[in-house]
Amino acid sequence: MLADSPSASYSKGQDLEARQDYEAAYSAYQDAWRQKPKDLRYRTAAMRLRFLAGASHVHRGQQLRDAGKMDEALAEFEKAAAIDPGSFVASQEAQRTRTMIDSARNAESAKTPAPQTFIERKLEKASSEPTELAAISSQPITLKMTEDSKLIFEMVGNLAGVNVLFDPDYPPRKIHVELNGVTLSQALRLIALESKAFWRPVTSNTIFVAADTPAKRKDLEESVIKTFYLTNLSQASQLQTVVTALHTLLELNRVTPIPELGAIIVRATPDQLALTSKIINDMDKGRSEVVIDIAIMQVTRDKIRDIGVTLPTSATVYPTANALLTTTTSTSGASTTTSGTTAGTINFGHLKGSTFAVNIPSATANFMLSDGNTKIIQNPQIRVADGQKASLKIGDRVPVATGSYQAGIAATGISPLVNTQFQYLDVGVNIDITPHIHGDRSVTLKISMDVSSVTGAVNIGGISQPTIGQRRIEHEIRLKEGEVNMLGGILESSEIKSVGGFPGLSNVPLLKYLFSDQHNEKHDNEIVFLVTPHIVRAPEVSPENLRPLQVGTGSTIDLQGMESTPTARLTQPAGGSPASGGGQPTVARQAAPTAAPPATPPTAQPLPNAQKAGQGAVAAAAQPSAASPTLLSFNPPQLTATVGETFTVDVMVTNAQQLASAPLQVQYDPAKLQVVNVSNGGFLAQGEQVVALAQRDDAVAGSVRITAMRPPKSGGASGSGSVAAITFLAKAPGKTTVAIARAGLRNADEQPIASSGTPALVEVRLAPATQAMAGEKR
């Protein structure tokens, strides 16, 4: 197949370019240039289409990559780079796609990553999220006590399984707290508020408590650094506006704007950084845009009527040659005879009809009617961003002399343009519009519209200056989206009427057209401006942008009140569903760490006969403080209750020595029993001491955590007695047990006390009336 000639390839490329098929057009221009390399037309066309052809491949590659077709996208990017080697975006997108392909292949093959450098390891470690307190449990905490703030922090920590560390400079103070059904984070926050302290997580189950002072917060609160890239900036002043907002609202002193990249680098606490992210997200919005249709309609009508006869109004009479006097002189001998005519001399004696001539002008009959219409319609369209000024100028630039000038002196040859400066005025249609788009899809337009034209010229100082006629409108209006508004209708009308003819006869009907000429002129000029706004990009305000946030106090940024209630993760132990007889109920235990004192946790040891009876294990002390272990039991050990009835069992301690605190975890069957109340038993109140009692019930797992504690430095209680009293509600018939699953008894010196325990057997029966009805049904 024969190749096309250079001219045919060039024509083909022009046709393809008009159809916006830039890749094929570039190929056709390249073919023409290849055949005739010295022709600049072909070379210019190929160089001009190179960029557009490469951009087409880049755009197609981006679409393929978004669709997940990485290999095909890479091929398109490589084609773009081959067509336009100077295209940075083609090389950048190709490299990015190769990286994505390699990352996917490495993830599939689970390749061992290359050894990291010291700096890379440091950066990877530092890029982890700030430490947060783990969601240990969602069960509420109930605590009522008046005690030292350190003791209350430790008690809540024991109850929730959180280690509590204190700053050496922390000043403890006696406070009163009364918490009912609050989460762990809420309890810590309220206690910190009451005791003028603040805490921050050190690990997922450890907190550090210090006095709430600016110096301590600055020393102890973690700092996080992050770079925010703003994607909707159009002016450098917008970046400074965001920085000013961060300074004002969050009191951030370590904020650095990077105008060249449209970025902001922030170093702040995690809470401040979270608020910074929200504020930037709220402010980094694309500017709203509006398309303004402007219709300028000008209608001009000129009507002229000229009817009548123009008669001569004057005549000229002048003498002919016969009226002039002639003189004759004769000479004979010594005399001379002369004949001639004396100009301007009229011989009145010889006057007759041929002596004078009369010149009468001609008469003109006029029958003319002229009616002309001129319509000028201009319909420009302006697209402008919210708050930005847009200008539209349609017309000419007319030079006007300004400054000092002189007319010049012809004799000396000085030009009249000496020392004369000129400026150019925009004559025509000049429109300046500044829109502001509102949230209700209405638009406020500040409009300045000027329609001008050159109407004549005037000589000033020997220089001809143009005279410019002007019609100007300047005002501010608010329109709905799509609403048409007429800015102003400027109507100019002029009428001229003239009559020429013989006096008297020019007013006689019918005869006036024979003895007079009537001339009528009428000129109408009307200009109408119509403006219609169309919003093409509305303000993007989401409910998240409008949501108010609790950010702490006026001097401290604190987002701890924003956390959601953590969800307890429960696991089902081996053994299936609970037994339906007198066996041990199946209890769902928490996957998160269970309650333990902040000191060295005791080693878990089974209670005597716990394996035979199928009961849970009780945590005993690693180093017993007495020769004989302390016994934990229930009183009464066996009881019978009716469905719907409440009953109370006492948690008894026997052979206790200097017992100061008794953290306990009691297990029960939630299908048959429900905890109603937990109260002090009286044993730890020996010596008329106030006992702090905190409880945390998990009705789903069937577990209630109880912490009873004596005041610090008050010694311990010895002997036997009731530590706490638990009131249950019988829910369903059957046999079940109430057992102590874990205990962390401690003496006055904070030393663990070894303990063992026995469960209580509970039988729940139906009420006699209910049993009788059940028998009748059977």
Side-chain angles (χ1 to χ4, degrees), residues 173-186:
R173 62 179 66 188
K174 192 171 185 179
I175 61 173
H176 173 73
V177 294
E178 187 170 343
L179 308 177
N180 294 303
V182 297
T183 63
L184 170 62
S185 181
Q186 291 171 344

Side-chain angles (χ1 to χ4, degrees), residues 340-359:
T341 300
T342 301
T345 303
I346 300 176
N347 188 359
F348 289 95
H350 298 83
L351 292 177
K352 54 183 179 180
S354 60
T355 304
F356 296 94
V358 180
N359 186 11

Side-chain angles (χ1 to χ4, degrees), residues 293-552:
D293 286 329
I294 302 174
I296 305 173
M297 296 175 288
Q298 182 176 2
V299 179
T300 303
R301 183 175 183 180
D302 298 325
K303 187 175 182 180
I304 303 174
R305 187 181 69 172
D306 193 356
I307 300 176
V309 178
T310 304
L311 297 175
T313 59
S314 63
T316 304
V317 179
Y318 58 92
T320 62
N322 295 331
L324 300 177
L325 179 62
T326 303
T327 302
T328 304
T329 303
S330 301
T331 303
S332 175
S335 62
T336 303
T337 302
T338 303
S339 298
T341 300
T342 301
T345 303
I346 300 176
N347 188 359
F348 289 95
H350 298 83
L351 292 177
K352 54 183 179 180
S354 60
T355 304
F356 296 94
V358 180
N359 186 11
I360 301 176
S362 62
T364 304
N366 297 318
F367 300 96
M368 183 185 71
L369 179 65
S370 176
D371 192 352
N373 288 326
T374 303
K375 296 181 181 179
I376 301 176
I377 299 178
Q378 296 178 343
N379 191 14
Q381 192 177 74
I382 303 174
R383 179 167 179 169
V384 58
D386 181 29
Q388 300 298 306
K389 180 180 177 180
S391 297
L392 176 66
K393 301 181 185 299
I394 304 174
D396 303 320
R397 291 177 62 83
V398 178
V400 177
T402 61
S404 62
Y405 57 90
Q406 58 187 23
I409 302 174
T412 59
I414 299 178
S415 172
L417 298 181
V418 172
N419 299 326
T420 303
Q421 296 86 34
F422 288 88
Q423 71 174 7
Y424 286 84
L425 301 180
D426 294 313
V427 177
V429 179
N430 303 313
I431 303 172
D432 292 332
I433 297 181
T434 304
H436 177 65
I437 303 173
H438 303 280
D440 60 350
R441 299 190 67 83
S442 62
V443 183
T444 295
L445 299 175
K446 184 177 181 180
I447 301 176
S448 175
M449 185 174 298
D450 182 290
V451 179
S452 58
S453 61
V454 178
T455 59
V458 60
N459 190 293
I460 302 176
I463 298 178
S464 178
Q465 298 287 334
T467 302
I468 299 175
Q470 185 182 58
R471 297 177 179 88
R472 183 179 181 87
I473 297 175
E474 186 171 354
H475 62 172
E476 187 170 331
I477 57 175
R478 180 164 177 167
L479 303 174
K480 294 182 180 179
E481 199 270 339
E483 180 181 356
V484 180
N485 181 72
M486 185 177 73
L487 295 184
I490 301 176
L491 177 62
E492 180 183 353
S493 180
S494 64
E495 186 173 353
I496 302 173
K497 184 177 181 180
S498 62
V499 178
F502 290 103
L505 296 178
S506 60
N507 297 324
V508 177
L510 298 179
L511 293 180
K512 64 182 180 180
Y513 296 112
L514 297 176
F515 295 97
S516 67
D517 178 38
Q518 296 187 357
H519 181 81
N520 294 328
E521 291 186 17
K522 188 174 182 179
H523 303 278
D524 293 329
N525 187 8
E526 184 177 9
I527 301 178
V528 177
F529 304 94
L530 298 180
V531 174
T532 306
H534 301 282
I535 298 176
V536 295
R537 181 181 296 173
E540 300 176 3
V541 180
S542 63
E544 186 66 22
N545 300 139
L546 301 176
R547 183 169 66 98
L549 298 179
Q550 298 178 3
V551 296

